[in-house]
């Protein structure tokens, strides 16, 4: 490009890296991928976890059905193909957030192991930490909770392709953290995740 002789030349610009952003923020970026049945407690745990991290001075952001399904993914339904695309987009967005130096928390059923593997590999290719958190819960307990009445509608045939009823959920076989919400409290579940993040060095002790 042509520069006017009267304008001083600036030093050459270099791209800002994730390392630069993490040093600036004083924290490490990572994606915490919460997966489990509807009613297992994913969103509730992510809210409690976000509060714990915020109190520690950690910049984080929570992605769930309320802010993703109503915006970025509002054109998607619940067919197998749409579920795949839903998780693909969430994987890409959380990877970008991690690259920005944030801790991104995703709270979605994400029922298919292959899709969760794709999300993990996306992060691995970018050198971005990815922590899979299996929010385990017996179907009978999740159905008894049924906070939004979705299981009742699925049983009545009003909702089709509902995970756990007429669509499969493939439980993780090697998640970094497993939490059985039929056995532990919300606070203990969030604390367990924080303990893991401290253990592996994502959070500072």
């Amino acid at each position: 490009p042509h520069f006017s002789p009267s304008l001083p030349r600036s030093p050459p610009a270099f791209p800002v890296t994730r390392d630069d952003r993490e040093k600036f923020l004083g924290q490490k970026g990572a994606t915490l991928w919460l997966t489990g049945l509807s009613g297992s407690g994913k969103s509730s745990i992510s809210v409690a976890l976000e509060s714990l991290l915020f109190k520690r001075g950690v910049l984080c952001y929570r992605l769930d059905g309320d802010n993703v399904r109503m915006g970025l993914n509002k054109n998607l339904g619940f067919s197998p193909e749409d579920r795949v695309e839903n998780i693909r987009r969430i994987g890409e967005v959380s990877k970008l957030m991690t690259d920005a130096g944030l801790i991104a928390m995703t709270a979605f059923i994400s029922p298919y192991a292959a899709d969760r593997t794709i999300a993990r590999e996306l992060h691995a290719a970018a050198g971005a930490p990815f922590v899979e958190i299996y929010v385990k819960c017996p179907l009978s307990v999740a159905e008894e909770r049924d906070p939004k009445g979705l299981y009742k509608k699925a049983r009545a045939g009003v909702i089709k392709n509902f995970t756990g009823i007429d669509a499969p959920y493939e439980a993780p076989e090697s998640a970094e953290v497993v939490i059985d919400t039929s056995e532990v409290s919300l606070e203990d579940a969030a604390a367990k995740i924080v303990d893991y993040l401290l253990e592996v060095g994502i959070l500072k002790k």
Side-chain angles (χ1 to χ4, degrees):
H2 175 73
F3 292 96
S4 167
S6 61
L7 291 176
R9 287 180 177 269
S10 300
F14 295 98
V16 177
T17 66
R18 185 172 80 248
D19 199 40
D20 294 326
R21 288 186 279 268
E22 289 180 341
K23 287 176 182 175
F24 177 79
L25 293 170
Q27 65 179 56
K28 288 187 177 180
T31 288
L32 313 181
W33 192 280
L34 285 77
T35 174
L37 292 170
S38 176
S40 61
K42 301 178 300 299
S43 291
S44 297
I45 291 172
S46 70
V47 170
L49 179 59
E50 184 178 37
S51 180
L52 279 182
L53 293 175
F54 192 75
K55 287 174 183 175
R56 296 180 68 94
V58 177
L59 187 59
C60 52
Y61 195 82
R62 182 168 45 85
L63 297 168
D64 61 20
D66 290 336
N67 58 19
V68 172
R69 274 285 187 186
M70 299 302 145
L72 177 68
N73 292 350
K74 68 180 180 180
N75 64 320
L76 299 177
F78 293 93
S79 68
E81 296 79 14
D82 281 1
R83 286 180 181 273
V84 169
E85 177 61 12
N86 181 53
I87 298 306
R88 187 195 70 79
R89 293 183 194 179
I90 294 161
E92 292 285 0
V93 170
S94 60
K95 182 191 74 171
L96 292 174
M97 287 186 163
T98 298
D99 188 54
L102 280 68
I103 288 188
M105 293 164 286
T106 73
F108 296 88
I109 296 172
S110 45
Y112 302 124
D115 297 338
R116 298 192 302 268
T117 297
I118 289 171
R120 182 185 289 276
E121 289 174 348
L122 269 176
H123 286 70
F130 181 93
V131 179
E132 186 176 45
I133 300 165
Y134 176 28
V135 183
K136 186 178 179 182
C137 180
L139 176 61
S140 59
V141 174
E143 193 166 356
E144 185 179 339
R145 291 173 181 165
D146 203 11
K148 298 179 181 178
L150 299 178
Y151 283 102
K152 187 176 181 180
K153 289 180 180 178
R155 291 289 187 191
V158 176
I159 298 177
K160 304 292 185 184
N161 299 314
F162 191 77
T163 303
I165 304 300
D166 56 353
Y169 177 77
E170 298 169 2
E173 296 181 355
S174 55
E176 282 79 5
V177 181
V178 178
I179 297 168
D180 189 333
T181 59
S182 68
E183 297 179 353
V184 300
S185 69
L186 185 62
E187 293 75 16
D188 287 345
K192 182 176 180 178
I193 297 169
V194 169
D195 287 344
Y196 175 81
L197 299 177
L198 288 165
E199 180 186 327
V200 298
I202 290 174
L203 291 181
K204 293 179 180 178
K205 293 185 178 179

